[in-house]
């Protein structure tokens, strides 16, 4: 039985889009008799390094799911790469899922290249990277709960699941489907900016404050 | 003119120490008042993605630690130099720790720049940032990804980022390459 490990690269455990996206794949795989497990990278890196190594060495497929921070991977995911660079890995399969707060998914491309470069240098078997925009729209909700907005995304994820089951690399069609805009850029910008103002009013804050200059 | 020199390598990295010393000297020759920070010595917590710095305490991170102080120093510097080992084409985790914590100097609001969505400015003035990515040997793949990353940073940070990778080599050559990067300061 194949073992799949989801590495949650979000610092959040609840309401984490990274976790939710990864768990969608895990749920589908566990129905097909895959053994699945999840680790929350930030808390484990600080407290339980040995357990990370153990879980990774037991796994056949690693799924690294992360939020985009300042155009690349969050600091603790880079730390994970640094720590792993000193360790021997068996030739596991690895894939990555990046999500970002901008409506366009292309912002994530560079971060996925870093993941692929890590995989190749560590002699892992890179099966592909997925880039998903408008991450905060999910707010931890599962992609199945969002109706027609996420129909292409779900279609793409199901293709990814199928590729994993067939022991194949992720197809380009699947990558394109998941990277499509969930809502148009203008709508995302409008809704986002309005909601920031609304929250600022609710919290009674000066959102344009300049405390440092 | 104030310059902040951030070193994200470790104390036992003598190659980076040499690059640091060369850079510091160049800055001093250009009459900068240089503050040098060894990130390893600072207590900085990871960004936890809570958005408090945008929606609860605008412009300030929830973590009351040296990350706040560095962010404040960055936005009040004229030039920031980031010295980082290149890790698979990305910043080192310690450099990234600082970078993840500077988002409070931008506003949450979205704006279209060159056809892409980015965040609006919070402050009028941003420092010029020069990134020096150190590599201990030739690695074209990592170097290309790193340069692409600096370009992405520049788009998100109002063209304030520039930089390149340098392969560790003889002192004179390093000096020449860093001087080349400093030409950026003379352009605008």
């Amino acid at each position: 039985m194949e073992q799949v490990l989801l590495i949650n690269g979000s610092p959040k455990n609840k309401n984490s889009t990274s976790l939710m996206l990864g768990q969608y794949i895990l749920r589908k795989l566990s129905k097909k008799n895959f053994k699945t497990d999840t680790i929350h990278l930030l808390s484990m890196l600080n407290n339980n390094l040995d357990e990370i190594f153990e879980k990774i060495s037991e796994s056949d497929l690693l799924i690294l799911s992360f939020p985009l921070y300042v155009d690349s991977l969050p600091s603790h995911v880079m730390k994970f790469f640094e720590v792993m660079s000193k360790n021997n890995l068996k030739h596991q399969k690895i894939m990555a899922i990046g999500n970002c707060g901008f409506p366009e998914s292309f912002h994530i491309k560079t971060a996925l290249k870093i993941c692929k470069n890590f995989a190749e240098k560590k002699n892992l078997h890179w099966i592909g990277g997925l880039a998903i925009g408008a991450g905060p729209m999910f707010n931890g909700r599962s992609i199945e709960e969002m109706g027609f907005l996420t129909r292409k995304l779900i279609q793409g994820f199901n293709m990814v699941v199928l590729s994993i089951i067939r022991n194949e690399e992720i197809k380009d069609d699947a990558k394109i489907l998941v990277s499509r805009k969930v809502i148009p850029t203008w709508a995302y910008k409008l809704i986002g900016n309005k909601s920031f103002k609304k929250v600022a009013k609710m919290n009674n804050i000066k959102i344009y404050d300049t405390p440092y200059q | 003119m104030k310059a902040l020199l951030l070193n994200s390598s470790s104390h036992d990295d003598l190659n980076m120490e040499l690059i640091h010393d060369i850079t510091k000297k160049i800055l001093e020759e250009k009459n900068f008042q240089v503050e040098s920070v060894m990130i390893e010595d600072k207590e900085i917590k990871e960004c936890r993605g809570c958005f408090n710095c945008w929606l609860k305490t605008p412009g300030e991170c929830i973590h009351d630690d040296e990350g706040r102080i560095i962010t404040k120093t960055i936005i009040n510097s004229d030039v920031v130099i980031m010295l980082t080992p290149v890790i698979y084409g990305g910043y080192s985790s310690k450099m990234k720790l600082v970078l993840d914590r500077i988002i409070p100097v931008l506003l949450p609001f979205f704006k279209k720049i060159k056809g892409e969505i980015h965040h609006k400015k919070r402050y009028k003035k941003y420092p010029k940032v020069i990134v020096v990515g150190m590599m201990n040997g030739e690695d074209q793949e990592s170097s290309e990804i790193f340069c692409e990353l600096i370009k992405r940073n520049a788009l998100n940070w109002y063209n304030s980022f520039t930089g390149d990778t340098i392969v560790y080599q003889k002192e004179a050559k390093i000096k020449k390459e860093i001087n080349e990067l400093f030409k950026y300061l003379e352009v605008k």
Side-chain angles (χ1 to χ4, degrees):
Chain A
M1 194 162 49
E2 271 209 72
Q3 292 219 31
V4 184
L5 181 66
L6 171 63
I7 303 170
N8 177 23
S10 167
K12 297 184 236 177
N13 295 348
K14 272 195 246 165
N15 289 335
S16 155
T17 301
S18 309
L19 181 64
M20 177 276 291
L21 293 172
Q23 280 183 332
Y24 179 85
I25 295 180
L26 290 195
R27 271 201 307 280
K28 296 271 168 182
L29 288 178
S30 62
K31 281 184 195 152
K32 296 284 176 191
N33 278 328
F34 281 74
K35 209 177 154 205
T36 65
D37 199 356
T38 303
I39 56 171
H40 302 287
L41 197 55
L42 179 57
S43 51
M44 274 197 130
L45 264 178
N46 292 333
N47 311 315
N48 223 336
L49 216 50
D50 289 341
E51 206 181 326
I52 296 185
F53 292 138
E54 208 180 294
K55 294 209 177 207
I56 285 178
S57 68
E58 287 166 358
S59 305
D60 306 292
L61 169 67
L62 309 173
I63 303 176
L64 173 64
S65 190
F66 64 89
L68 191 75
Y69 277 14
V70 194
D71 304 299
S72 61
L73 298 133
S75 63
H76 55 275
V77 180
M78 290 313 294
K79 193 172 165 189
F80 169 68
F81 287 169
E82 286 166 357
V83 171
M84 296 315 292
S85 75
K86 293 174 198 129
N87 281 275
N88 285 326
L89 295 162
K90 56 178 192 184
H91 188 62
Q92 280 111 324
K93 284 177 283 184
I94 183 169
M95 62 173 280
I97 310 169
N99 75 89
C100 73
F102 295 126
E104 314 102 332
S105 55
F106 58 71
H107 295 271
I108 304 161
K109 266 207 253 147
T110 317
L112 290 176
K113 283 186 188 171
I114 296 172
C115 296
K116 185 175 180 229
N117 194 21
F118 163 77
E120 286 171 351
K121 296 234 156 67
K122 287 306 290 176
N123 200 25
L124 295 166
H125 178 194
W126 175 253
I127 64 164
L130 306 176
I132 292 120
M137 271 207 30
F138 303 102
N139 194 22
R141 275 181 298 173
S142 170
I143 46 177
E144 299 122 298
E145 292 169 40
M146 295 182 65
F148 82 100
L149 284 178
T150 49
R151 65 199 188 283
K152 298 280 178 200
L153 189 62
I154 291 173
Q155 216 182 319
F157 266 81
N158 289 344
M159 282 175 73
V160 171
V161 171
L162 207 60
S163 294
I164 295 172
I165 293 168
R166 290 178 178 159
N167 200 17
E168 293 166 350
E169 293 188 357
I170 295 170
K171 297 221 162 25
D172 286 342
D173 292 354
K175 291 179 196 167
I176 292 165
L177 277 171
V178 303
S179 68
R180 284 177 49 151
K181 276 185 198 137
V182 176
I183 61 167
T185 303
W186 65 267
Y188 188 82
K189 187 173 155 231
L190 190 80
I191 296 166
N193 287 347
K194 267 199 169 170
S195 72
F196 293 139
K197 281 195 177 141
K198 198 175 137 195
V199 177
K201 211 173 174 186
M202 244 163 53
N203 291 344
N204 198 19
I205 54 151
K206 289 182 189 139
I207 199 162
Y208 293 99
D209 220 2
T210 51
Y212 292 160
Q213 244 182 31
Chain B
M1 297 278 270
K2 280 190 233 169
L4 175 66
L5 183 53
L6 293 169
N7 184 353
S8 73
S9 199
S10 51
H11 282 290
D12 56 16
D13 185 345
L14 299 178
N15 296 357
M16 189 62 106
E17 196 180 303
L18 178 67
I19 292 176
H20 168 271
D21 294 347
I22 292 171
T23 312
K24 194 170 180 212
K25 213 172 152 209
I26 295 173
L27 284 166
E28 282 165 350
E29 279 165 7
K30 292 183 187 292
N31 288 321
F32 277 98
Q33 187 190 322
V34 186
E35 183 181 343
S36 177
V37 172
M38 191 74 190
I39 299 173
E40 191 177 58
D41 297 338
K42 306 287 179 187
E43 181 89 33
I44 302 168
K45 289 197 192 81
E46 290 91 354
C47 168
R48 61 180 215 195
C50 67
F51 292 150
N52 274 37
C53 64
W54 278 343
L55 301 171
K56 282 195 178 153
T57 51
E60 192 151 73
C61 177
I62 193 166
H63 296 309
D64 186 5
D65 61 8
E66 309 236 25
R68 272 195 196 172
I69 299 166
I70 294 182
T71 304
K72 194 173 176 177
T73 313
I74 288 174
I75 196 70
N76 287 297
S77 296
D78 299 290
V79 175
V80 177
I81 317 284
M82 298 184 174
L83 305 180
T84 177
V86 176
I87 308 291
Y88 302 111
Y91 294 94
S92 75
S93 64
K94 284 191 208 93
M95 194 72 251
K96 197 68 201 337
L97 201 53
V98 170
L99 275 172
D100 288 351
R101 290 282 302 272
I102 63 170
I103 65 152
V105 307
L106 292 178
L107 289 170
F109 298 111
F110 298 121
K111 184 186 173 180
K112 240 184 180 173
I113 300 169
K114 290 186 183 164
E116 301 180 5
I117 292 287
H118 295 283
H119 293 292
K120 281 189 184 170
K121 283 182 180 177
R122 181 182 296 279
Y123 295 101
K124 281 198 188 95
K125 199 178 145 273
Y126 287 79
K128 287 185 174 172
V129 180
I130 299 177
V131 183
V132 182
M134 195 199 56
M135 309 191 10
N136 280 319
E138 291 285 350
D139 175 357
Q140 205 186 336
E141 179 75 19
S142 299
S143 177
E144 274 172 19
I145 298 171
F146 193 73
C147 290
E148 183 183 302
L149 177 56
I150 296 171
K151 279 194 191 128
R152 295 303 305 164
N153 286 154
L155 266 171
N156 269 317
W157 295 86
Y158 297 90
N159 271 324
S160 59
F161 274 63
T162 189
D164 207 344
T165 53
I166 60 173
V167 175
Y168 183 76
Q169 55 207 326
K170 284 196 192 91
E171 191 172 335
K173 263 191 140 178
I174 294 175
K175 218 175 203 166
K176 203 177 148 224
E177 287 192 19
I178 292 175
N179 264 315
E180 199 65 36
L181 284 173
F182 270 87
K183 281 187 182 158
Y184 167 66
L185 298 180
E186 294 153 19
V187 182
K188 282 182 224 164

